[in-house]
Structures are given as structure tokens and as C-alpha cells.
Amino acid sequence: MLIVWNDPVNLMNYVAHVFRSYFGYPRPEAERLMMLVHHEGHAVVATGPREEVERHAQAMHDYGLQATVARDAP
């Protein structure tokens, strides 16, 4: 799973924009995930095969977001 972490640099609107433009989330879902990142400190924004999630993590880094890959919970 891909976890995006809160940071003191990126604006909330930018984070929602990245979720919409990269993942194709509709505005309500992108904003819901952005608010989780903002209030909870992180959010799971994607799941799937490890190779795919690693590509997503690199893309988030390219956008300037902090993201990590974690194993799915059993």
C-alpha cells in the first residue's frame, strides 16, 4: 500500500490536486484523502502489486510529496 505523509511544505490544495491529476480521483475523494493526510498525518492512497505501488511512490516524490510503501495488513 502507498502511504502519503503530511509535511510542512505542501499546501492542502496542491495535495488534493496531485491526487486528482495522478490517480484520477474525483474531487470529493481527493479532498477526503487530503484531509486524512492533514489531520491524521498520513493516508493510504493506493494499493496493488508492489511494483505498481513503488511506481506510485516515485511519482509522489516527483510531485514533492512524502510517500512510503508498506505491506498490506494481513
Side-chain angles (χ1 to χ4, degrees):
M1 74 180 111
L2 178 68
I3 302 170
V4 173
W5 299 90
N6 193 23
D7 65 58
V9 177
N10 293 295
L11 298 175
M12 293 189 301
N13 286 345
Y14 176 70
V15 175
H17 165 76
V18 170
F19 293 165
R20 289 184 71 210
S21 62
Y22 180 78
F23 292 107
Y25 288 131
R27 183 182 304 270
E29 179 65 5
E31 290 178 355
R32 184 187 75 78
L33 291 169
M34 173 272 297
M35 292 304 288
L36 281 173
V37 170
H38 181 68
H39 290 295
E40 303 294 326
H42 66 282
V44 174
V45 299
T47 59
R50 184 167 186 90
E51 296 79 18
E52 180 180 317
V53 174
E54 288 174 350
R55 283 192 301 273
H56 294 329
Q58 182 59 55
M60 294 300 98
H61 297 162
D62 293 345
Y63 278 105
L65 301 182
Q66 295 180 11
T68 56
V69 176
R71 289 177 57 147
D72 290 340

